[in-house]
Amino acid sequence: MRSVRRCSRTGCANPAVATLTYAYSDSTAVVGPLATYSEPHSYDLCEAHALRLTVPKGWEVVRHEGDFAPPTPSDDDLTALAEAVREAGRPDRPMDPPSSGSGSGRRSHLRALPDPVDE
């Protein structure tokens, strides 16, 4: 079983190993080990993005000293199921638009496609 938490940076599919949080009142960005739970106002980062993070002029970065350890995989099926359900229920998850069609109100995840026409 692998962790479902990925780097928050757009286009990065690497596993997260660090968590970024901001202390706006102190103009500080804090990059530390991966938090136990994903929080709404923090960002999970892969090692490359955690090490290369830059901040606006006048801000400080507080970084974890040492290497970022990748999260250990969980063999617990219940934990894996809970993580999958949590990921599926994320509010920022893209949703498919409702289809106008059969009128049954039920949408199937399978579609029948016509045979391609040979040219």
Side-chain angles (χ1 to χ4, degrees), residues 8-103:
S8 297
R9 295 292 301 261
T10 303
C12 184
N14 293 324
V17 296
T19 298
L20 166 66
T21 55
Y22 292 105
Y24 292 100
S25 61
D26 297 327
S27 299
T28 304
V30 180
V31 180
L34 188 63
T36 306
Y37 298 101
S38 181
E39 296 291 331
H41 299 291
S42 64
Y43 303 90
D44 295 336
L45 299 174
C46 66
E47 187 168 15
H49 287 121
L51 296 174
R52 290 191 327 225
L53 177 79
T54 59
V55 294
K57 188 175 183 177
W59 280 60
E60 286 187 61
V61 178
V62 176
R63 290 186 204 273
H64 168 73
E65 291 184 15
D67 294 332
F68 292 104
T72 55
S74 171
D75 293 330
D76 185 6
D77 289 342
L78 185 57
T79 301
L81 179 60
E83 287 177 358
V85 169
R86 190 177 302 119
E87 182 71 17
R90 281 186 13 217
D92 60 341
R93 185 172 163 248
M95 300 293 287
D96 294 329
S99 65
S100 60
S102 65

Side-chain angles (χ1 to χ4, degrees), residues 87-117:
E87 182 71 17
R90 281 186 13 217
D92 60 341
R93 185 172 163 248
M95 300 293 287
D96 294 329
S99 65
S100 60
S102 65
S104 68
R106 183 165 183 223
R107 217 181 119 186
S108 174
H109 66 282
L110 300 176
R111 302 276 189 264
L113 299 175
D115 289 335
V117 177

